[in-house]
Amino acid sequence: MSPSNLSRRRLCAVLFVTCVAVLLGACGLTVRQRTAVQKFSAATIDFTTLTSSELIKSRTDVLEMNRLRVQLNDATVKLGRLDEHFTVERVKVRVDAVAALKEYAELLHTLVTSSQKDQLKTASDAFVTSLRKVQGLNLGDEQAGSIGAAVQRIGGLVVEYMRARAARQVVTTAHPAVLQLLDLVRRDFSPTADHWSLGYDKVISALT
């Protein structure tokens, strides 16, 4: 085979690979989509960090307010239950739910910003683990495996295509669980539902 023919074949091969990369890259996430995911992730991380801190602080506040009620001779306060509905166990359930939302945001951020398999695996494993810690939320092995498999497929020449595909699969698979997490948070901070916020307000009212 002549050098010119060999060079021509190599050029054709390079052009073919380049075309495939461009075509598949076009199926990847757009700049707008990447920006939207990054903004969502940042906002969710900020929200969950603050919420987790406030949940823990609210228990401390309730304990302190109930101690004051005891000092004021409030007979309705039970000495053995100063934390009332704000027990460590109830705080943990809520902190675990918020932590799972944070890990979800971290995973999406990693999906659109990294191609390192170790980072992607760490983020997906952390999300799955956090979901399984949430009381009342069942994540099946098939769902967990689907998330991990989607993330691990990112890499190689078609990285942008696989990144978009993985992001869509993670969002679709995790969607029911994430909705449950959001419902838990929404319910607790509703001023009318007899859960977290209303219980906190009742303690304040009893003190005043």
Side-chain angles (χ1 to χ4, degrees):
M1 184 180 294
S2 67
S4 60
N5 286 337
L6 183 60
S7 297
R8 194 175 297 114
R9 283 173 177 263
R10 286 176 178 171
L11 178 60
C12 289
V14 170
L15 287 174
F16 172 76
V17 170
T18 303
C19 288
V20 170
V22 170
L23 287 172
L24 292 177
C27 299
L29 295 171
T30 66
V31 173
R32 180 176 293 181
Q33 288 172 325
R34 284 173 181 265
T35 301
V37 172
Q38 288 176 300
K39 286 182 177 179
F40 165 80
S41 298
T44 302
I45 291 169
D46 287 345
F47 167 75
T48 52
T49 300
L50 177 61
T51 302
S52 180
S53 175
E54 288 300 312
L55 286 167
I56 295 169
K57 184 177 180 298
S58 63
R59 179 176 186 274
T60 303
D61 289 346
V62 166
L63 284 167
E64 184 58 33
M65 286 188 287
N66 282 337
R67 288 192 189 99
L68 290 173
R69 290 171 65 191
V70 170
Q71 293 174 15
L72 294 170
N73 298 316
D74 186 338
T76 62
V77 181
K78 297 178 182 178
L79 287 174
R81 294 191 59 189
L82 291 179
D83 54 2
E84 202 72 25
H85 296 297
F86 294 78
T87 62
V88 171
E89 292 76 17
R90 295 194 80 214
V91 172
K92 183 180 183 302
V93 169
R94 287 154 175 81
V95 170
D96 284 347
V98 172
L101 282 175
K102 183 176 182 180
E103 294 296 349
Y104 178 60
E106 294 276 12
L107 173 56
L108 291 182
H109 181 268
T110 305
L111 274 173
V112 300
T113 60
S114 176
S115 301
Q116 299 298 315
K117 289 200 174 237
D118 56 340
Q119 293 179 5
L120 291 162
K121 185 178 187 305
T122 297
S124 64
D125 287 350
F127 175 50
V128 169
T129 300
S130 66
L131 278 179
R132 285 180 163 163
K133 286 182 179 179
V134 179
Q135 183 176 309
L137 194 154
N138 296 316
L139 182 73
D141 291 340
E142 185 177 347
Q143 291 173 297
S146 178
I147 292 172
V151 169
Q152 286 303 300
R153 281 196 290 265
I154 295 179
L157 178 65
V158 293
V159 61
E160 293 307 319
Y161 167 75
M162 296 309 297
R163 188 194 306 282
R165 182 177 173 182
R168 294 186 185 100
Q169 185 169 334
V170 167
V171 170
T172 301
T173 304
H175 187 63
V178 171
L179 286 182
Q180 283 184 263
L181 293 173
L182 291 173
D183 189 59
L184 287 173
V185 175
R186 180 197 59 76
R187 181 194 67 182
D188 276 340
F189 288 94
S190 169
T192 56
D194 192 14
H195 292 287
W196 203 259
S197 291
L198 185 58
Y200 188 83
D201 289 341
K202 285 180 178 179
V203 175
I204 294 175
S205 298
L207 183 62
T208 56

